[in-house]
Amino acid sequence: MLAKNIYGRTRVKNSEILELLIYGAYIEEQSKLDKYEKQIMREDMNYYYQSGQKEVLNTKKSTKKASVILDAIFLALLDMQLYNGFTYSQNIQATMQYNVQQLYKQVLINIQQQKELEIENNEFQRILNQQQNTKLYINGDKISGATDAMLIGLNNLAKAEGIKEIDNNAQVKFIAVIDGKETDMCHSLDRQVFYIDKENVFDRYYGETKRNLRIQRIKCKGLVVGLNLPPISHHFHWCRSTITYQIPVQQVDKKFNIFSSTEEKDIENKYSINKARIKGIDKAVLENILENMQRVYKDFPQIKGKIKKLQSIEHPNGGMNIEPDLKDNKYIMQINKKFFSNEKTAKKQYNKDLKAGFHPKGTTYKDMGIHELGHSVTFEIIKNKYKNRNDMTNDWNKNITAKKIVEKAFSNLKISDKLTQDMLRNNISNYATLNYEETIGEAFADYYANKNNAKILSREIVKVMKGMV
């Protein structure tokens, strides 16, 4: 396009011809490397493609051999967006444009200073060396540069394709290096499980700079480099995370202390639950959660006995969830097998999230049911405001009443400054800042776990809600 623009005009500046010549030199050099770079990339990606297949085959104890990556898959992966939103070819083009401008500016400076335009001169060699190191820099066993960052993404995409080749309904687990040097983003994604080819909904730290990182709920189809597939971006860092094939939950359940049909009936009778379908959940874990929920019923008897269904689910993220059923104004509570199939896993996952600030200090996994009951109490307040079901649903989905409850608590505390309000919500937990519903849920967990030592906003929210039901 630059050449066409120049050739189509009768008057051309010398500086434009100079820029074109420099650009042409970079294009020529890149064309010499292209064949070899793609050959190396194909070998590298094929290694990860076969590694993904082997992880699945080893799990299934299959004697089948891993196949090599096909041309169609290799080329399709090169055409996918990487950590910075560009494809492989777009990255090459953008890098060349940037490098051309760097060298072009230095040439102009040398001309203005009447210096010789010798490529061996220090100023040009410094620029070229810096450009080379930006592309690929190897120092002992440490490798960095744009090429390395691109290959991390492409290799993980290739591994996911290899897994999908054997198991097209597969999931992968995100593995972060937890050594105190990891970013909040990778820490929040660690051990989360994602579908390769289905919709994923998950919470993670997100933001363009470290200062504005916030917990956000993300939805994406499959695996997206930068979002839930390494290298994780938004703001730049050198990502060391990896993925591994996730063994299907049903293959794991048999190892743990799970409920029989008779024991499900016992839970129904003991905790006034209409129906319990909780196979795959550890007995001690569930009873600990249900016992702790009794604390809330003492203050809010209106929600006691209103869980119509307790069911175990298989989901890549999220521990527990509660939803109102407008048909009979009762609640359906779901508990995830992934986190609650045994107590060791439940503790490990909760403590990891607690360390990351996802939960209020002083709480344990046993308080997760209390968090969900905070949502139930909120809906009881919503029900008292409306007769129309659509109005109830709209309020619930848009956090209308939840926001008013939190605002009332701030008003009682005489806090009107938005910055201070945000700080107090964040003091409860990072997750409390996600929306006003979660502020209430986290306030309940904080209050019933810590009582007088709970955060002032948590205590005030519960006090406000006691006067509204």
Side-chain angles (χ1 to χ4, degrees):
M1 288 178 66
L2 182 63
K4 186 176 179 180
N5 180 42
I6 291 174
Y7 294 155
R9 287 157 43 203
T10 55
R11 300 185 66 180
V12 181
K13 295 179 181 178
N14 286 335
S15 59
E16 293 175 314
I17 296 174
L18 175 62
E19 184 180 8
L20 178 61
L21 288 170
I22 295 173
Y23 211 147
Y26 272 94
I27 291 173
E28 185 179 354
E29 291 304 310
Q30 179 59 39
S31 67
K32 294 176 184 178
L33 293 172
D34 192 62
K35 175 183 176 182
Y36 301 105
E37 285 183 349
K38 285 183 178 173
Q39 181 180 339
I40 292 169
M41 291 172 73
R42 185 189 177 93
E43 291 174 1
D44 210 36
M45 290 163 68
N46 182 62
Y47 171 82
Y48 282 89
Y49 180 76
Q50 292 187 317
S51 295
Q53 293 178 73
K54 289 174 183 177
E55 285 185 13
V56 186
L57 293 171
N58 290 340
T59 300
K60 297 179 179 294
K61 298 181 179 178
S62 171
T63 56
K64 183 179 176 181
K65 298 288 185 181
S67 59
V68 298
I69 193 168
L70 299 174
D71 287 343
I73 296 175
F74 172 67
L75 294 174
L77 292 178
L78 288 186
D79 205 35
M80 293 185 71
Q81 287 189 348
L82 298 176
Y83 68 98
N84 56 4
F86 292 163
T87 65
Y88 166 72
S89 61
Q90 288 170 338
N91 270 295
I92 296 295
Q93 185 64 31
T95 301
M96 275 201 299
Q97 288 177 348
Y98 179 73
N99 289 348
V100 167
Q101 288 303 311
Q102 278 191 313
L103 203 64
Y104 172 67
K105 288 176 182 177
Q106 187 60 51
V107 169
L108 292 182
I109 290 171
N110 279 32
I111 290 173
Q112 290 169 354
Q113 296 176 352
Q114 297 183 341
K115 290 183 178 180
E116 292 292 326
L117 298 180
E118 297 291 341
I119 197 65
E120 291 83 8
N121 287 355
N122 288 339
E123 58 266 31
F124 293 121
Q125 286 299 307
R126 177 182 55 78
I127 291 172
L128 294 173
N129 287 335
Q130 187 179 43
Q131 290 176 356
Q132 175 57 45
N133 291 339
T134 301
K135 181 173 183 177
L136 184 65
Y137 180 67
I138 302 174
N139 181 14
D141 60 349
K142 294 180 179 179
I143 303 174
S144 60
T147 300
D148 185 49
M150 282 191 288
L151 271 173
I152 291 172
L154 289 168
N155 288 340
N156 280 312
L157 285 169
K159 185 173 185 178
E161 286 296 321
I163 291 170
K164 191 166 71 172
E165 178 71 21
I166 308 298
D167 182 356
N168 59 13
N169 194 37
Q171 296 172 290
V172 297
K173 182 183 288 186
F174 188 101
I175 307 294
V177 179
I178 306 298
D179 58 1
K181 298 177 183 178
E182 76 280 0
T183 65
D184 291 337
M185 296 173 293
C186 288
H187 194 118
S188 64
L189 287 166
D190 185 42
R191 304 290 164 178
Q192 290 204 49
V193 177
F194 304 108
Y195 284 104
I196 286 180
D197 209 26
K198 293 182 182 179
E199 183 181 68
N200 293 299
V201 182
F202 56 98
D203 297 322
R204 56 155 281 191
Y205 272 103
Y206 195 92
E208 295 304 326
T209 65
K210 185 173 179 61
R211 186 174 182 179
N212 65 14
L213 282 177
R214 294 290 185 275
I215 292 292
Q216 290 192 29
R217 177 146 293 177
I218 308 294
K219 291 183 180 181
C220 65
K221 173 73 182 296
L223 301 173
V224 178
V225 176
L227 276 183
N228 59 346
L229 186 70
I232 299 303
S233 53
H234 317 286
H235 57 92
F236 181 78
H237 65 287
W238 221 256
C239 186
R240 302 169 294 161
S241 301
T242 56
I243 59 168
T244 185
Y245 175 65
Q246 172 67 16
I247 300 173
V249 175
Q250 58 267 28
Q251 295 184 26
V252 180
D253 283 346
K254 296 177 183 178
K255 299 178 184 178
F256 305 122
N257 184 24
I258 60 176
F259 285 90
S260 66
S261 298
T262 303
E263 289 165 328
E264 286 180 336
K265 288 289 182 186
D266 292 339
I267 289 292
E268 292 171 358
N269 295 331
K270 185 175 180 180
Y271 296 102
S272 302
I273 295 169
N274 291 10
K275 184 186 291 185
R277 296 293 179 266
I278 42 182
K279 286 185 172 59
I281 305 298
D282 185 86
K283 299 175 190 176
V285 168
L286 184 60
E287 292 225 57
N288 285 336
I289 291 171
L290 294 174
E291 283 295 334
N292 267 17
M293 287 164 61
Q294 305 306 306
R295 304 177 193 173
V296 183
Y297 296 141
K298 291 179 182 178
D299 290 335
F300 298 94
Q302 299 87 347
I303 60 171
K304 187 173 183 179
K306 286 200 173 181
I307 296 178
K308 63 180 285 186
K309 188 175 183 181
L310 177 62
Q311 62 180 149
S312 58
I313 59 170
E314 295 179 19
H315 197 273
N317 55 72
M320 294 185 71
N321 179 60
I322 199 164
E323 288 286 340
D325 189 333
L326 295 177
K327 294 177 183 177
D328 53 12
N329 291 328
K330 290 191 175 183
Y331 301 93
I332 298 172
M333 180 174 277
Q334 298 173 325
I335 181 165
N336 195 352
K337 292 181 185 180
K338 175 188 171 185
F339 297 129
F340 298 105
S341 57
N342 68 92
E343 190 164 29
K344 182 179 178 181
T345 300
K347 286 181 177 179
K348 182 178 179 181
Q349 180 64 38
Y350 195 91
N351 290 338
K352 184 197 77 171
D353 291 342
L354 186 65
K355 180 183 174 183
F358 281 20
H359 303 300
K361 291 180 180 178
T363 61
T364 71
Y365 80 85
K366 302 174 185 179
D367 301 308
M368 293 184 75
I370 292 175
H371 171 107
E372 299 305 326
L373 290 183
H375 299 322
S376 297
V377 175
T378 303
F379 192 73
E380 292 297 312
I381 296 170
I382 292 172
K383 283 194 312 182
N384 293 337
K385 291 174 62 177
Y386 307 103
K387 294 182 179 179
N388 186 287
R389 290 181 180 178
N390 291 334
D391 291 337
M392 293 180 194
T393 302
N394 182 63
D395 188 305
W396 173 263
N397 291 334
K398 293 185 178 180
N399 275 247
I400 296 171
T401 294
K403 184 179 180 181
K404 288 180 179 178
I405 291 168
V406 177
E407 287 177 341
K408 174 64 175 171
F410 281 130
S411 177
N412 291 351
L413 295 171
K414 295 182 170 39
I415 297 171
S416 57
D417 177 62
K418 183 68 167 59
L419 192 63
T420 305
Q421 291 180 357
D422 291 344
M423 182 189 71
L424 288 178
R425 290 173 70 193
N426 191 63
N427 282 347
I428 298 175
S429 77
N430 293 335
Y431 197 61
T433 64
L434 184 65
N435 57 50
Y436 290 100
E437 281 279 4
E438 300 308 337
T439 303
I440 291 172
E442 292 292 82
F444 265 63
D446 180 26
Y447 175 78
Y448 286 98
N450 299 310
K451 284 293 184 179
N452 292 334
N453 292 323
K455 297 293 187 290
I456 186 171
L457 179 59
S458 298
R459 300 199 303 269
E460 192 60 36
I461 286 173
V462 175
K463 181 180 176 182
V464 167
M465 294 176 74
K466 284 180 181 178
M468 295 178 74
V469 177

